[in-house]
Amino acid sequence: MLLRNITLEDFGAYRGKQSLDLTTRPGKPIVLIGGLNGCGKTTLLDALQLVLYGPRARCSGRGNRPYEAYLRDCINRKADPSRGAALTLEFSITVEGKERIYKLTRNWVANGKTLHEYVNVKVDGVWDRVISEGWANHVEDLLPLEIGSLFFFDGEKIESLADPERASAVIQSAVHSLLGVNTVQQLRTDLLALQRRQKLADEDQEAVDQIRELEERHEAVQAEVESAQAQAAALRSALGAAKKNMVRADDAFARDGGELFERRKELEARRKDAAKHLTATQEALLSLAAGVLPLRLLTDQLAVVHKQAAVEQEANDAAQILSVLVARDQELLARLETLLPKDDLGAFREHLDSDRQQREQGSKAERVLNLTPDGQTQLAGLDQVLTHEQKRADELLALAADQAATVEALDRQLAGVPDEKLIASRLEDRESARQALHRAEALLASAVEAHSAAKSRRVALKTQLERAHDARVKSLVRKEEIERIVAYCDRQREVMDRFGDALLKRHINRLEVAVLESFSRLMRKRGLVRDLNIDTDRFRLTLVDSEGDPLDPGRLSAGERQLLAVSLLWGLARVAGNWLPSVIDTPLGRLDSRHREHLVDRYFPHASHQVLLLSTDEEIDEHLLKRLKPSIAHTYTLVHDDTTFTTSVEPGYWWTSGATHVA
């Protein structure tokens, strides 16, 4: 399949008629389309899907809106709604060795509350009414939606394919649809249908009615299973929205001081306890101040008192021994009178008289304090007591300062606690979000249970139906022709089973090799993944590290998971023969410079025979453009006018301004 041209007429931001030539040639498979954020790159990707698949298209801008509402919003705001919008895609496809050129036009107009959509298809220049009216079915033969979604993708969003469960669903769908395994299964189903038609050929009416009833019940249960599955999917989306609302409510509650509000009682209790301890410390300080501690303010005066007490003590001591000295001196002189000469005795007498006079003079010092012996003892121990009291006071002052700081800090926190009236709405919002989340979880659990129950009933009915058919086969083997057909169908179904298993294993083996080779070519860390396995039962993809152990994709970086998803799609395309174009929006969004170079050098030029890249100037910059240029067939730039909010398509890329858009 080769896209040749796309024309957008008053679609989204594209005002008027804007056309892009998308043809490529061997060696130059790339069409590079540049645009800043909001200029219409994703709109262009949506246009490709919308023109092909209509209401079934998986357009990023649609969301949960009805299809008609989405189409109305897609009409350019400057355009006349009665003229509407239109998309035209011209592509070629080879059918039985012959190239056929399709020109598909999807246009719609709004007339009041009514919206009309038209689909017209020309094949090789001739309008085909049958194909136009049945395009929804015809496009499934050309490019099934499940396959198209693998080749028209957002480069940032495909990271989810690195998840084993998501990857297994993609691999299963691709292997069956893209690689032809479903053709074998369809042949087996057709053989079974042929076999059952033969079984019903000459059966009695009662058996026929029983089988028809079982088939009708099976179809009804099948519809019930599909409905339950769709409901569960919708409820999963609703649950995701409820979780986001819960996160927003929690964030708003925390932002407005909700956590402080919830801790208010704890903070008040802590503040009360801290204030109690501070009061006790202050009372202890008051008790110290009521004792001898204030005497620390009279240090100089106490020194004078000590000095005066010493003087008075010496005077008292001199007065007590003075009378004793008089008697002693007289006794000494009487004994020495016969032993010493008169001159020496006179000098000695003068010395003793002088000593007594000095002591007598000291004993006459003024008594100011008149301390008792107990008073002398108390005065002597006062300094030690004051030193101890001062140390205790310093400790209490430091403790009081710490306790006051604690009280002040708690007061500041309490001052920041929002008023209950202010936080009430946040509390109500959070509780409402929590209840909505619980309801969504309950509804989803109920829907999952209903889906499981419906599947169980479907299995039971299928078993009954197969038994009914088998029972009728046994009753009809009497007829040789029927027996021959039934036997032949059984043998061919077995052959188809074996062939299908062999084909599946062959494709899986080729896919393992292709994906691993693609991943190895794109990865910067070459030794990170040594092997890659895909089981044929659940189609689960398993990575093997250099030690031979399973490697959880969650351990890969966001960029590496994106490369793994790209490698998966590339591997599928290579195994399928690269017959479909690849359209990649935001191709390099989360990747570092080395991985970007790997994609530019090793993937884009070889991803398919036609690769459309929708890039910003920061993804494929001037450096990467030079590396990519040899493979480029066309370049375009989406230019957005901020005054009119419209986008136009200009030839060339940012760094090829003024140059032709054909490389």
Side-chain angles (χ1 to χ4, degrees):
M1 184 177 187
L2 179 67
L3 304 179
R4 300 167 65 92
N5 184 282
I6 185 170
T7 300
L8 302 88
E9 187 171 356
D10 289 330
F11 179 75
Y14 293 87
R15 183 74 174 101
K17 184 179 291 187
Q18 306 286 335
S19 295
L20 293 89
D21 182 3
L22 306 178
T23 56
T24 58
R25 55 186 184 274
K28 291 183 177 292
I30 295 176
V31 177
L32 177 59
I33 303 170
L36 301 179
N37 291 333
C39 285
K41 299 187 303 300
T42 303
T43 302
L44 184 58
L45 178 61
D46 288 346
L48 279 169
Q49 299 182 79
L50 181 61
V51 70
L52 285 170
Y53 302 108
R56 298 185 300 122
R58 297 169 182 175
C59 299
S60 61
R62 179 176 176 181
N64 295 323
R65 286 178 295 170
Y67 180 62
E68 288 191 4
Y70 173 66
L71 289 183
R72 285 179 181 274
D73 291 343
C74 287
I75 300 175
N76 185 275
R77 66 179 67 184
K78 301 289 185 180
D80 183 2
S82 63
R83 292 189 57 188
L87 298 171
T88 300
L89 179 65
E90 186 176 343
F91 62 93
S92 62
I93 192 165
T94 302
V95 180
E96 297 179 354
K98 181 181 178 181
E99 184 183 51
R100 305 187 70 182
I101 299 176
Y102 283 75
K103 187 173 184 180
L104 166 65
T105 300
R106 185 184 298 272
N107 67 297
W108 57 96
V109 295
N111 185 8
K113 295 184 179 181
T114 305
L115 185 137
H116 298 284
E117 182 187 24
Y118 307 93
V119 177
N120 288 286
V121 181
K122 290 183 179 180
V123 181
D124 297 330
V126 179
W127 178 64
D128 192 315
R129 179 177 180 178
V130 175
I131 293 179
S132 298
E133 293 178 352
W135 176 253
N137 294 323
H138 188 75
V139 71
E140 287 298 308
D141 296 331
L142 300 178
L143 180 60
L145 175 62
E146 292 299 326
I147 301 304
S149 63
L150 298 179
F151 291 87
F152 300 165
F153 59 89
D154 186 326
E156 286 188 335
K157 294 180 180 178
I158 64 167
E159 180 194 337
S160 62
L161 294 184
D163 176 73
E165 297 298 330
R166 174 77 176 116
S168 63
V170 171
I171 293 171
Q172 183 177 8
S173 174
V175 167
H176 283 81
S177 300
L178 188 62
L179 303 182
V181 175
N182 61 344
T183 303
V184 178
Q185 294 180 344
Q186 185 61 47
L187 288 173
R188 183 183 180 279
T189 302
D190 291 343
L191 285 172
L192 181 60
L194 174 61
Q195 186 181 32
R196 287 178 175 174
R197 283 199 299 270
Q198 296 302 321
K199 292 176 184 178
L200 292 173
D202 294 322
E203 289 182 353
D204 58 273
Q205 191 62 40
E206 182 179 351
V208 172
D209 292 342
Q210 179 187 8
I211 291 176
R212 286 178 178 172
E213 179 187 358
L214 288 172
E215 288 177 339
E216 290 174 356
R217 290 170 58 190
H218 183 269
E219 290 177 359
V221 171
Q222 175 64 30
E224 187 177 345
V225 169
E226 293 174 355
S227 175
Q229 185 176 9
Q231 184 179 7
L235 289 173
R236 285 191 182 92
S237 177
L239 178 60
K243 289 180 178 179
K244 291 180 180 178
N245 288 337
M246 188 70 231
V247 171
R248 285 195 290 268
D250 284 337
D251 291 343
F253 184 77
R255 186 170 58 252
D256 290 346
E259 293 181 358
L260 281 176
F261 180 79
E262 291 182 333
R263 293 178 53 214
R264 181 178 63 181
K265 291 184 178 179
E266 175 195 349
L267 292 173
E268 289 175 346
R270 288 173 56 192
R271 201 270 181 204
K272 182 179 179 181
D273 189 55
K276 179 180 178 182
H277 286 86
L278 177 59
T279 300
T281 303
Q282 291 172 340
E283 289 176 355
L285 283 169
L286 290 174
S287 177
L288 280 176
V292 299
L293 185 61
L295 292 177
R296 291 290 292 179
L297 301 174
L298 304 174
T299 302
D300 294 336
Q301 290 82 348
L302 286 175
V304 173
V305 170
H306 278 292
K307 185 176 180 181
Q308 180 64 29
V311 169
E312 290 184 10
Q313 182 64 37
E314 290 177 0
N316 291 336
D317 292 343
Q320 289 178 3
I321 67 173
L322 190 59
S323 59
V324 177
L325 290 177
V326 172
R328 185 203 65 178
D329 292 344
Q330 290 177 354
E331 183 180 352
L332 285 173
L333 290 173
R335 290 184 179 183
L336 294 174
E337 190 172 359
T338 58
L339 298 175
L340 295 175
K342 290 184 178 180
D343 293 339
D344 293 334
L345 183 63
F348 187 69
R349 182 179 288 110
E350 289 178 359
H351 172 72
L352 292 176
D353 291 338
S354 175
D355 179 67
R356 287 196 306 274
Q357 290 174 0
Q358 290 178 357
R359 293 181 181 274
E360 184 177 3
Q361 187 68 29
S363 67
K364 293 179 180 180
E366 182 180 4
R367 282 6 180 233
V368 177
L369 301 177
N370 287 323
L371 295 175
T372 64
D374 289 338
Q376 289 284 355
T377 302
Q378 291 177 4
L379 181 62
L382 183 60
D383 287 341
Q384 183 177 359
V385 172
L386 286 175
T387 300
H388 178 269
E389 293 292 290
Q390 180 65 49
K391 181 179 179 182
R392 175 60 178 161
D394 291 340
E395 293 174 351
L396 289 173
L397 285 171
L399 179 60
D402 291 340
Q403 291 170 340
T406 300
V407 171
E408 183 180 358
L410 290 171
D411 284 339
R412 284 197 300 270
Q413 293 187 54
L414 285 169
V417 175
D419 185 77
E420 185 173 359
K421 294 181 180 179
L422 296 177
I423 204 66
S425 63
R426 294 302 185 192
L427 282 168
E428 183 178 349
D429 291 344
R430 190 174 67 162
E431 183 60 27
S432 298
R434 181 180 290 110
Q435 292 178 3
L437 178 60
H438 291 164
R439 286 195 300 271
E441 290 173 342
L443 289 173
L444 178 58
S446 177
V448 170
E449 183 178 354
H451 182 227
S452 178
K455 288 198 297 184
S456 298
R457 291 196 299 274
R458 181 181 63 181
V459 170
L461 282 171
K462 184 177 180 180
T463 301
Q464 293 180 38
L465 188 58
E466 289 179 349
R467 288 176 179 173
H469 281 298
D470 291 339
R472 296 311 304 154
V473 168
K474 292 179 181 178
S475 67
L476 295 174
V477 294
R478 297 186 305 271
K479 296 185 177 181
E480 181 179 353
E481 183 64 20
I482 293 178
E483 184 177 0
R484 185 186 67 80
I485 294 176
V486 169
Y488 178 79
C489 289
D490 284 337
R491 288 196 300 272
Q492 293 306 312
R493 283 169 57 197
E494 292 176 2
V495 171
M496 288 297 174
D497 286 341
R498 293 195 299 271
F499 177 75
D501 291 342
L503 181 63
L504 179 61
K505 290 178 181 178
R506 179 172 178 271
H507 283 323
I508 290 296
N509 291 336
R510 293 174 59 204
L511 185 58
E512 289 174 341
V513 173
V515 174
L516 179 60
E517 181 181 349
S518 300
F519 192 49
S520 300
R521 290 177 65 180
L522 297 180
M523 277 290 292
R524 184 181 71 250
K525 302 175 184 177
R526 291 190 175 274
L528 181 63
V529 176
R530 188 184 73 182
D531 200 1
L532 180 148
N533 299 316
I534 301 173
D535 67 77
T536 56
D537 294 326
R538 299 175 56 196
F539 298 91
R540 189 177 182 86
L541 185 147
T542 304
L543 302 179
V544 179
D545 62 18
S546 57
E547 303 297 327
D549 297 323
L551 175 65
D552 183 3
R555 290 173 50 192
L556 302 177
S557 68
E560 289 168 344
R561 289 196 297 273
Q562 182 176 339
L563 289 180
L564 176 58
V566 169
S567 301
L568 175 59
L569 298 182
W570 191 12
L572 287 169
R574 291 170 62 191
V575 172
N578 288 345
W579 63 275
L580 290 176
S582 291
V583 184
I584 309 172
D585 184 14
T586 318
L588 304 176
R590 296 188 179 183
L591 304 178
D592 58 33
S593 59
R594 183 69 62 82
H595 284 150
R596 290 185 175 199
E597 290 178 354
H598 285 187
L599 277 181
V600 167
D601 294 339
R602 305 175 183 180
Y603 174 54
F604 295 150
H606 311 288
S608 176
H609 64 290
Q610 184 179 40
V611 180
L612 273 63
L613 299 180
L614 307 172
S615 170
T616 66
D617 57 340
E618 292 187 354
E619 291 181 89
I620 299 180
D621 54 20
E622 187 174 10
H623 166 67
L624 295 180
L625 178 63
K626 291 179 180 178
R627 304 173 76 110
L628 197 62
K629 189 173 181 180
S631 301
I632 295 178
H634 303 278
T635 60
Y636 297 98
T637 301
L638 306 180
V639 180
H640 189 71
D641 188 341
D642 293 334
T643 60
T644 61
F645 300 100
T646 59
T647 295
S648 60
V649 180
E650 300 292 340
Y653 201 70
W654 279 285
W655 295 278
T656 59
S657 178
T660 178
H661 71 291
V662 179

